[in-house]
Amino acid sequence: MARGIVIFDIDGVIRDVSQSYRRAIADTVEHYTKGEYRPTNGDIDSLKAEAIWNNDWKASHELIRRWDENIAVDFKELVAFFQRKYRGKNFDGYINDEPLLATNHYFEQLTAAGFAWGFFSGAMRASAEHVLKKRLGLDNLVLVAMEDAPEKPNPKGLFAAIAQLESPEANTPVAYVGDTAADMRTISNAIIQQPERQWQAIGVIPPHAQTGDDKEYMYASNLQDVGASIVLPGVQDLVPEILATLLQD
């Protein structure tokens, strides 16, 4: 039996999406506002701090609406435009500009220390598998992606990932690692639905927010305000020793 289960978000945690997903959001909003408005990372952070805009297509649509609610947007066309920028053809779009924030060796260390692990992400399965399988070389993945579960902060996808990592009668302590308010609130909702299990929300600061000034402090504070037990500079700072302390009975 695993001593604990760690479920990871992907975007901003396993890969840096500041020049991919976020760039595609900015491009999409700029396109529909005819060049009048291109949201900054701060604008996007402010929106995502509301914890209900985990889906970047919907986030793009909402930023457009807030700029000018009279702009007509066909959502399917918006998604197609966004995907042309982000994914491109055969993964030749902005997805190629995503530095990795973790290594295969990091997950080997978790396994060696007795922790089971998997992923619950709002990314599309093809995009998630591209980074996890092709780039990180992870095999036998436990992955719950956009197509598999409701959007965060609904914890259904988190529960689905956990179920693949423990026997039905087990009640293993769980940590969820994410970089947004929606990730932290996923744990808050999980606690409500499964209060008998030990839960930990672990925040990490995504690269675009690692500014070394008040902006970084405010980003970390926001994660703590919505439930993070601890906020770390990056995912690989979550070493087995810290996990063992957080998940001990």
Side-chain angles (χ1 to χ4, degrees), residues 21-33:
Y21 273 124
R22 283 170 171 261
R23 186 178 173 191
I25 289 174
D27 283 358
T28 302
V29 175
E30 185 177 49
H31 171 75
Y32 279 93
T33 61

Side-chain angles (χ1 to χ4, degrees), residues 67-175:
W67 176 258
D68 184 349
E69 62 182 12
N70 294 315
I71 295 175
V73 177
D74 182 303
F75 190 69
K76 289 184 178 179
E77 291 179 358
L78 180 149
V79 171
F81 180 89
F82 185 105
Q83 289 299 93
R84 285 196 298 272
K85 293 291 185 176
Y86 173 69
R87 186 169 170 178
K89 295 181 179 179
N90 300 317
F91 294 95
D92 61 357
Y94 296 162
I95 193 171
N96 283 326
D97 299 323
E98 296 178 333
L100 296 179
L101 304 175
T103 64
N104 186 294
H105 179 62
Y106 172 71
F107 295 100
E108 290 177 345
Q109 289 180 310
L110 292 182
T111 300
F115 293 100
W117 47 269
F119 302 90
F120 169 40
S121 170
M124 297 183 73
R125 176 166 288 275
S127 170
E129 289 186 343
H130 178 77
V131 65
L132 298 176
K133 290 184 176 181
K134 184 174 181 179
R135 299 189 62 196
L136 273 176
L138 300 176
D139 298 318
N140 302 315
L141 284 177
V142 169
L143 167 64
V144 177
M146 176 193 287
E147 299 93 328
D148 307 319
E151 294 175 33
K152 293 176 280 187
N154 188 316
K156 186 175 180 179
L158 179 64
F159 296 154
I162 294 166
Q164 298 178 59
L165 292 166
E166 68 175 8
S167 58
E169 67 277 4
N171 197 29
T172 313
V174 173

Side-chain angles (χ1 to χ4, degrees), residues 30-41:
E30 185 177 49
H31 171 75
Y32 279 93
T33 61
K34 300 186 184 304
E36 294 185 13
Y37 173 47
R38 183 177 180 86
T40 65
N41 271 324

Side-chain angles (χ1 to χ4, degrees), residues 208-222:
H208 79 270
Q210 294 182 14
T211 55
D213 56 17
D214 288 347
K215 291 181 180 179
E216 181 173 345
Y217 173 78
M218 291 301 296
Y219 195 101
S221 294
N222 179 65

